[in-house]
Amino acid sequence: MKSIKRICSILMISIVGLILEACTGDFEEMNTDPNNPVSISPALLLPNAIQVSVDRYWGHSTRFERLNIDAAMCWMQHLARNIYINVEGDSYEIPLTISSGTWDALYNDALINFESVLKLSAEDGEFHNSNYQGVAITMKAFTFSYMTDVFGPIPYSEALKGTAEEAINSPKYDSMEEIYAGLLEELGTANALLDVNGPAINGDILFDGDILKWKKFANSLRLKLANHQAEQKPMESQAVMAEILGNPSVYPVFTNNDDFAQLHHVDVIGSRNKMFDVFSTRSDWNISETLINKLLELDDDRITVYALPLADGSYAGLPNGLTDAAASTYTASTIGTKFLDPTAPSILMSYAELLFIKAEAAYDGDIDGDPAALLEEAIAASFDQHGLDMPGDYMSRVGMVDKEAIMTQKWLALFGQGIEAWTEYRRTGYPVFPPANPNSVFYNEGVLPTRIEYPTSEYSLNKSALDEGVRILGGEDNMRVPLWWVEN
C-alpha cells in the first residue's frame, strides 16, 4: 500500500512539473505589458522631441511661457501688445515662468529624448541606425544653440547624464565659446553620419525621412553658428565656412524654398501651428508701428502677408511699450491670415536666412562673394517664401549695401522667428530702432533685454554649478548682461 501511494505521489509531482514547465515556457511573454514596453524605439521618441523644440522656438501656446510671441517678437518690434503690457514682455518685463517653462521643456522633453534616440541608435544600441544618430545630433545642436543664445552659459558637456553609468545630477555650466565649439564639431559629425543611401527612419515629422534635407539642415545650421561667432573666433569660423561652401556635394545646404527646415502642421488639437492657437483666440497683439513704417517706407508687399489692413485698406502699427490706457487709443493692424492658419508651418531656419548669412559673411570678408548680389538673392528668397515677387527696383529702395542694410533686411525677413531676430539684434546692434513713443514705459532699467534669467529651480537644485555659470557669464543673472558673441 505504501509503495502504491509513493508511486502515485511521484506521478502527481511529475504531472505538476510538466504543467509548470509548460506554463513558464511562455510566462515571460505573457507577463509583458504591451502598454508599458521595456524598450522604446527611436521612432516613438522622435516626434514629440521635435515638436517640443519647434513649439518652444516658434510659438508655444501656454500663457506666461511664450518666449517668442510675448517677448522676442515684441522686443524686436514685429509685434506690440495692446493689453497686459507690464507683465508679458513688451515693456521688457517677463514672468519667471518664461525662463522655467523654456528650460524645463527643452531639457526634459526635447533634449533628453534626442539623447535617448542617439543612444538607442548607436552601434552598440538596440536599434543601430546612423541616420537616427545624425538626426538626433542635429536636433540636439539646434536646441542647445537656441538655449545658449537665450540664457548664455548653460549645462552642456555634463547635461543629460542623470541616468548614465556614472550619473551626473549636478551638471556644470559651460561657456558659450565651449558650447559653440562643441556644436560645430557635432554638426560635422551629424553630416558624416547622415547617409542618403543608409537605413530608413520613422517618426520624422520634420522632413518625413528625407535624409538629404537633414544633411542640408545640419550644414546650414553649422554655417549659422559659425557666422554667429565669427567676430570672436574669425579663423575658426572662416575654416568652417570654407569647408562647407567649398564642397557642396559633401556638405549640401539649403538651395531653395522647398528644402529648408520647417514643421508642417495638421489641423488636429496638439498638432496645430501654435501661432494659430494663440492669435485665433486672443486679440492682445497688433503689428508694431516700427515694422509697419519700415515696410511702408520701402513700399514692401510683404506687409500684405505680415499684417491685415484696416477697414479703409490702409496699414497702421502700434507703438511698443504703451500703457494699456494709451494703447486703447490706437487702431492698428493685426497679424496676417497666413499666421492664423492652423496648418501654417513653424520655421526653424529658412533658405532666405541662409542667404542673409552668406551676404553678411561676404561683407565681413569671411567668405568670397558679392555682398550686394547675395543680399538681393536673400531678399528675393524672402519674397518668394511668401508667394510674392520682389520688385525689379527693390534694391534701389534698400540703398547702399552695408552691414546695417543687410541686417535690417534680415530683420524684415525673420518675421515670426522673433528669437533669431533678437539674437541677431543683440549680436550686431541692427536694425536701429526709432526712439520710443513718449507714452511708452520700459522696465529692466530701460535696456532691451540681452538674455533671460536662469530659472529658480537651478538656484535650489544646482546652486554651486549655477554660481560658476554666472561667473562665466561675466555679470549678474539679469537681463542686461551682453552675451559672448556680441560684436564690438
Side-chain angles (χ1 to χ4, degrees):
M1 179 66 73
K2 288 182 180 179
S3 297
I4 295 174
K5 287 182 178 179
R6 186 169 178 271
I7 293 170
C8 288
S9 297
I10 292 171
L11 287 171
M12 288 297 294
I13 291 170
S14 299
I15 292 169
V16 170
L18 288 170
I19 292 171
L20 288 173
E21 184 177 351
C23 290
T24 56
D26 296 322
F27 180 77
E28 184 175 344
E29 181 179 345
M30 292 172 62
N31 199 43
T32 300
D33 183 355
N35 296 317
N36 292 285
V38 295
S39 180
I40 300 177
S41 75
L44 296 178
L45 294 172
L46 199 56
N48 185 62
I50 292 175
Q51 183 83 52
V52 170
S53 285
V54 172
D55 287 351
R56 289 288 171 171
Y57 175 77
W58 177 256
H60 195 64
S61 56
T62 300
R63 191 176 179 187
F64 302 123
E65 294 187 17
R66 300 183 293 237
L67 177 57
N68 186 46
I69 293 172
D70 284 336
M73 288 188 72
C74 289
W75 296 340
M76 288 301 95
Q77 300 182 29
H78 286 161
L79 299 179
R81 286 195 75 101
N82 56 52
I83 195 170
Y84 309 128
I85 290 167
N86 63 331
V87 292
E88 295 194 50
D90 200 8
S91 61
Y92 303 166
E93 186 175 39
I94 59 173
L96 291 174
T97 44
I98 283 187
S99 292
S100 60
T102 301
W103 185 280
D104 293 346
L106 292 178
Y107 271 119
N108 299 335
D109 298 329
L111 286 169
I112 195 68
N113 283 318
F114 292 135
E115 182 70 8
S116 295
V117 170
L118 185 58
K119 289 179 180 178
L120 287 165
S121 58
E123 285 191 19
D124 59 349
E126 189 175 348
F127 302 90
H128 177 224
N129 184 320
S130 65
N131 282 331
Y132 273 127
Q133 293 178 67
V135 168
I137 292 171
T138 302
M139 285 307 303
K140 276 181 61 181
F142 173 83
T143 307
F144 270 125
S145 67
Y146 166 25
M147 292 192 71
T148 195
D149 286 347
V150 165
F151 290 99
I154 56 170
Y156 167 68
S157 61
E158 293 184 354
L160 315 178
K161 299 185 184 298
T163 59
E165 188 173 332
E166 295 184 12
I168 299 175
N169 295 312
S170 298
K172 71 173 184 176
Y173 279 58
D174 296 285
S175 69
M176 290 184 70
E177 181 176 1
E178 292 169 327
I179 294 167
Y180 263 67
L183 298 179
L184 288 167
E185 182 178 352
E186 289 180 11
L187 286 167
T189 300
N191 178 69
L193 286 166
L194 291 162
D195 182 358
V196 295
N197 297 313
I201 62 172
N202 295 305
D204 173 15
I205 62 173
L206 191 61
F207 292 124
D208 195 26
D210 189 326
I211 301 303
L212 180 57
K213 288 184 177 180
W214 276 107
K215 288 178 77 75
K216 290 182 176 183
F217 182 31
N219 293 311
S220 299
L221 178 58
R222 193 169 175 228
L223 272 177
K224 177 168 84 169
L225 299 186
N227 189 58
H228 278 183
Q229 69 161 23
E231 174 84 2
Q232 307 304 325
K233 302 185 77 171
M235 292 181 61
E236 293 86 346
S237 296
Q238 289 166 14
V240 169
M241 293 177 184
E243 179 181 56
I244 294 173
L245 297 177
N247 198 344
S249 62
V250 176
Y251 301 98
V253 296
F254 301 145
T255 55
N256 55 57
N257 278 322
D258 294 325
D259 63 4
F260 66 77
Q262 57 182 339
L263 177 61
H264 293 276
H265 295 277
V266 293
D267 190 6
V268 176
I269 294 175
S271 298
R272 295 168 175 156
N273 168 26
K274 292 300 182 282
M275 286 194 182
F276 163 81
D277 286 345
V278 174
F279 294 126
S280 65
T281 59
R282 300 191 67 87
S283 56
D284 303 356
W285 303 266
N286 294 96
I287 302 299
S288 171
E289 182 179 68
T290 304
L291 178 63
I292 291 289
N293 288 350
K294 188 63 179 178
L295 292 168
L296 290 174
E297 173 192 323
L298 293 166
D299 192 17
D300 193 316
D301 289 342
R302 285 174 291 185
I303 197 171
T304 63
V305 177
Y306 297 166
L308 290 176
L310 303 180
D312 63 0
S314 66
Y315 293 88
L318 179 69
N320 289 85
L322 295 180
T323 63
D324 292 2
S328 68
T329 66
Y330 283 79
T331 300
S333 298
T334 54
I335 197 165
T337 54
K338 177 174 183 176
F339 300 88
L340 300 177
D341 182 349
T343 65
S346 296
I347 297 170
L348 297 185
M349 185 178 178
S350 70
Y351 173 53
E353 184 182 345
L354 174 69
L355 294 174
F356 280 111
I357 289 167
K358 292 171 70 174
E360 182 190 359
Y363 181 83
D364 289 342
D366 293 323
I367 65 170
D368 294 330
D370 179 358
L374 289 167
L375 176 60
E376 185 172 2
E377 283 186 59
I379 297 170
S382 176
F383 272 83
D384 180 65
Q385 180 181 328
H386 299 295
L388 302 170
D389 293 323
M390 184 181 78
D393 67 342
Y394 191 86
M395 290 304 292
S396 66
R397 306 175 200 176
V398 173
M400 183 178 66
V401 173
D402 56 12
K403 185 89 162 192
E404 181 176 359
I406 293 169
M407 301 313 297
T408 299
Q409 282 295 322
K410 188 173 187 179
W411 167 74
L412 289 173
L414 285 172
F415 183 81
Q417 293 174 259
I419 291 169
E420 184 60 23
W422 178 42
T423 293
E424 295 300 69
Y425 172 81
R426 291 174 291 153
R427 183 176 66 84
T428 68
Y430 296 117
V432 176
F433 292 127
N437 185 281
N439 293 317
S440 297
V441 177
F442 294 107
Y443 297 90
N444 196 43
E445 299 183 6
V447 176
L448 193 152
T450 57
R451 58 182 293 274
I452 63 175
E453 298 166 352
Y454 295 116
T456 55
S457 59
E458 284 295 282
Y459 282 90
S460 58
L461 300 175
N462 198 18
K463 181 66 163 59
S464 61
L466 172 63
D467 288 343
E468 177 61 13
V470 174
R471 186 196 66 77
I472 296 171
L473 178 65
E476 297 180 8
D477 180 18
N478 60 38
M479 299 198 296
R480 297 180 295 279
V481 178
L483 296 185
W484 169 70
W485 33 234
V486 169
E487 297 183 0
N488 297 321

